[in-house]
């Protein structure tokens, strides 16, 4: 059987979530591998959630929100951007595969872009294969319960 | 210098300007350890030399130390930088603190007792160019590895962690009274000493230190299993330097890097 990656998308309520909704209402098709988690703002997306997603079995992650200057709360995405810049460098240094974490800005009007982001990410993760390196340590912790 | 340091401490204690002096005394073997001097006769025990490496700023945020009110602290370079960072985070009350620090001349002791004095002294004493040390070498060595090798290297390191949180206890900037690793609803980080939770803990620690760490190395010094924790915080500090280009002064005294932003922050990875 072909490998079907599990992808978790952390998106903000005001732009990307609405954008993803538009993808659906515009009848644009995209892979079903993505599970969307809706947040009030990208500023709310704690870096720990990303680690938890990998821990819980995700093979890839999408983080997406409003374009700079478009934040519903004025500056949430600016703060988030700074955090990701540092976090990405740090996890790369400890050997976590940063190719598996995709960041994007998708506005509420960009339904087509959302489909593109998901399709590309799914394709990339399919190439990379399951993230067994990380899942192994999670399994060894809970005795194979996951 | 120790003579001048003792004299100054004695003066502050006898005149009752301060309730306690935080300094060093002789420890076991040839080491020194932190000590609290409450009475003028205690001062005899005081030592101060190159071996006094502990970052005493860690005590300044402790509730029971704060309750003493006015106090004096003997500070080396690293302690001074931590104090400045604590001031910028509003953790030290103005004019509650006397800082005794060695001056540039031989045997000279400088007393700083206002926040402005402390800041300007530290800004003058920051060296403009830092010599690469063993941590820089390690960071460079790890950066040269492939991703798989880096993962393997850190997995082996994190596997040794016994989760004693000595790194947290030794750090002057880790002063929260409630820590994420202890929150249980939800339980963010498994508490057992297992590589999964250990890795999460060390990533959290480095992230929560970002923009705040003064690179004093107390965490690595305190680690009983010799994990080079300073490499993690150093990498964060370096990426802040590369991405946001701050001077040391701005880094120490300005707004925290992660709680401020510039609309034109430049990244290359967001689509």
């Amino acid at each position: 059987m072909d490998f079907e990656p599990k992808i978790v998308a952390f998106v903000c309520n005001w732009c990307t979530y609405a954008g993803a909704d538009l993808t659906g209402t515009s009848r644009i098709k995209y892979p079903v591998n993505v599970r969307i988690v809706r947040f009030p703002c990208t500023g709310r997306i704690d870096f720990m959630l990303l680690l938890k997603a990998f821990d819980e079995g995700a093979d890839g992650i999408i983080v997406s929100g409003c374009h700079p200057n478009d934040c519903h709360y004025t500056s949430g995405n600016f703060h988030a951007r700074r955090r990701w810049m540092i976090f990405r460098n740090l996890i790369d240094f400890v050997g976590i595969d940063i190719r598996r974490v995709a960041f994007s800005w998708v506005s509420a009007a960009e339904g087509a872009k959302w489909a593109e982001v998901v399709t590309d990410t799914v394709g990339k993760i399919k190439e990379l294969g399951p993230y067994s390196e990380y899942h192994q340590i999670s399994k060894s912790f809970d005795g194979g319960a996951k | 210098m120790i003579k001048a340091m003792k004299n100054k401490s004695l003066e502050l204690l006898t005149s009752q300007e301060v309730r306690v002096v935080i300094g060093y005394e002789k420890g076991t073997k040839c080491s020194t350890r932190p000590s609290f001097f409450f009475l003028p006769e205690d001062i005899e025990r005081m030592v101060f030399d190159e071996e006094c490496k502990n970052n005493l700023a860690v005590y300044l945020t402790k509730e029971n130390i704060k309750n003493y009110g006015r106090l004096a602290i003997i500070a080396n370079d690293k302690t001074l930088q931590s104090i400045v960072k604590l001031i910028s985070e509003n953790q030290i009350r103005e004019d509650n603190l006397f800082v005794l620090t060695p001056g540039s001349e031989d045997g000279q002791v400088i007393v700083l007792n206002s926040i402005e004095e402390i800041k300007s002294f530290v800004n003058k004493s920051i060296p403009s160019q830092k010599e690469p040390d063993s941590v820089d070498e390690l960071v460079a060595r790890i950066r040269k590895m492939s991703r798989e090798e880096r993962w393997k290297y850190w997995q082996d390191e994190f596997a040794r962690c016994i989760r004693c949180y000595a790194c947290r206890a030794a750090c002057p900037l880790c002063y929260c009274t409630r820590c994420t690793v202890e929150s249980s609803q939800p339980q963010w980080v498994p508490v057992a000493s297992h590589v999964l939770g250990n890795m999460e803990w060390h990533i959290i620690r480095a992230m929560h230190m970002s923009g705040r760490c003064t690179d004093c190395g107390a965490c690595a010094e305190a680690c009983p299993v010799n994990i080079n924790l300073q490499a993690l915080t150093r990498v964060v500090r370096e990426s802040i330097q590369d991405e946001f280009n701050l001077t040391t002064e701005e880094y120490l005294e300005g707004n925290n890097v992660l709680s401020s932003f510039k609309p034109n922050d430049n990244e290359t990875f967001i689509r």
Side-chain angles (χ1 to χ4, degrees):
Chain A
M1 203 176 81
D2 280 352
F3 162 61
E4 286 298 337
K6 284 191 187 124
I7 301 206
V8 181
F10 297 104
V11 304
C12 91
N13 177 43
W14 303 99
C15 293
T16 306
Y17 193 85
D21 220 8
L22 182 66
T23 321
T25 44
S26 329
R27 307 275 169 119
I28 301 171
K29 286 205 168 130
Y30 64 89
V32 294
N33 306 59
V34 67
R35 284 94 169 137
I36 296 181
V37 188
R38 178 166 66 150
F39 284 80
C41 177
T42 40
R44 169 64 183 84
I45 304 171
D46 192 307
F47 60 87
M48 270 308 289
L49 293 161
L50 276 57
L51 297 181
K52 283 291 144 189
F54 282 138
D55 176 21
E56 294 286 335
D59 301 299
I61 294 172
I62 298 171
V63 182
S64 185
C66 309
H67 285 265
N69 290 321
D70 281 355
C71 181
H72 184 78
Y73 308 101
T74 321
S75 61
N77 55 358
F78 286 131
H79 285 105
R81 178 167 68 180
R82 280 210 159 185
R83 194 185 316 138
W84 298 337
M85 286 159 85
I86 304 297
F87 181 64
R88 202 164 161 275
N89 289 341
L90 176 67
I91 59 173
D92 187 36
F93 184 72
V94 300
I96 292 174
D97 196 348
I98 50 170
R99 292 171 300 176
R100 292 175 185 274
V101 193
F103 295 93
S104 61
W105 307 126
V106 174
S107 82
E110 293 176 322
K113 183 176 175 184
W114 175 248
E116 244 172 65
V117 167
V118 174
T119 316
D120 286 0
T121 311
V122 170
K124 200 154 120 200
I125 305 295
K126 271 190 176 164
E127 261 170 49
L128 292 170
Y131 199 6
S132 29
E133 222 174 31
Y134 204 109
H135 301 156
Q136 244 163 19
I137 61 166
S138 307
K139 272 188 193 134
S140 78
F141 177 66
D142 50 28
K146 272 172 203 156
Chain B
M1 178 179 27
I2 175 63
K3 215 170 150 199
M5 201 69 100
K6 278 182 172 178
N7 283 341
K8 198 69 220 172
S9 311
L10 199 61
E11 204 182 298
L12 288 170
L13 277 178
T14 37
S15 64
Q16 294 187 325
E17 287 228 59
V18 298
R19 281 283 305 279
V20 59
V21 179
I22 308 175
Y24 303 89
E25 66 178 356
K26 203 175 167 320
T28 47
K29 292 186 192 157
C30 25
S31 63
T32 59
R33 65 185 171 209
S35 187
F36 297 84
F37 304 90
F38 290 95
L39 302 167
E41 50 265 40
D42 291 344
I43 295 294
E44 250 173 72
R45 297 202 317 265
M46 183 183 279
V47 296
F48 188 76
D49 55 31
E50 295 298 304
E51 292 306 304
C52 297
K53 287 179 183 148
N54 295 64
N55 190 338
L56 298 180
V58 68
Y59 298 110
L60 295 177
T61 53
K62 301 278 182 276
E63 206 52 43
N64 45 352
I65 303 286
K66 279 198 211 156
N67 288 343
Y68 288 124
R70 294 166 76 83
L71 51 87
I73 186 168
I74 292 175
N76 53 28
D77 294 0
K78 291 170 172 177
T79 310
L80 276 172
Q81 292 202 14
S82 300
I83 291 174
V84 172
K85 196 69 207 174
L86 286 170
I87 292 171
S88 85
E89 297 189 357
N90 300 320
Q91 295 301 312
I92 293 179
R93 269 190 40 208
E94 182 129 28
D95 302 331
N96 240 358
L97 186 68
F98 286 83
V99 177
L100 309 185
T101 189
S104 49
E105 287 163 47
D106 211 24
Q108 185 197 14
V109 169
I110 294 171
V111 183
L112 311 163
N113 70 340
S114 79
I115 285 172
E116 288 317 312
E117 272 176 37
I118 297 171
K119 279 183 178 173
S120 65
F121 181 82
V122 172
N123 287 335
K124 265 184 273 163
S125 61
I126 293 169
S128 52
Q129 209 69 44
K130 195 170 71 71
E131 292 291 313
D133 58 9
S134 61
V135 182
D136 290 318
E137 277 165 33
L138 178 70
V139 169
R141 193 158 62 83
I142 297 172
R143 284 225 165 102
K144 276 198 201 108
M145 297 178 184
S146 70
R147 191 196 61 75
E148 286 78 9
E149 285 167 343
R150 287 201 298 273
W151 174 259
K152 175 83 175 57
Y153 173 85
W154 282 110
Q155 289 296 299
D156 291 347
E157 289 292 291
F158 293 148
R160 295 192 287 121
C161 174
I162 56 171
R163 295 293 279 286
C164 62
Y165 301 128
C167 40
R168 184 179 68 180
C171 178
L173 273 307
C174 249
Y175 52 71
C176 298
T177 45
R178 295 180 66 197
C179 179
T180 16
V181 281
E182 266 124 28
S183 72
S184 53
Q185 286 176 338
Q187 177 123 45
W188 276 105
V189 189
V191 290
S193 165
H194 178 277
V195 67
L196 175 71
N198 294 355
M199 176 177 71
E200 289 176 350
W201 156 242
H202 288 293
I203 290 176
I204 290 180
R205 201 186 71 85
M207 277 303 287
H208 286 185
M209 280 293 120
S210 55
R212 313 176 54 237
C213 174
T214 58
D215 203 22
C216 73
C219 47
E221 197 69 35
C223 182
V225 292
N226 291 323
I227 301 173
N228 203 326
L229 299 168
Q230 211 179 347
L232 295 176
T233 44
R234 179 76 57 89
V235 160
V236 170
R237 175 80 184 258
E238 274 176 11
S239 49
I240 288 171
Q241 203 56 48
D242 297 346
E243 309 275 18
F244 309 121
N245 206 8
L246 302 170
T247 63
T248 316
E249 192 179 337
E250 286 166 340
Y251 179 89
L252 285 176
E253 293 172 21
N255 286 334
N256 182 292
V257 175
L258 291 198
S259 51
S260 54
F261 67 89
K262 286 197 182 117
N264 55 353
D265 283 332
N266 197 12
E267 53 38 57
T268 50
F269 57 91
I270 305 178
R271 188 168 164 172

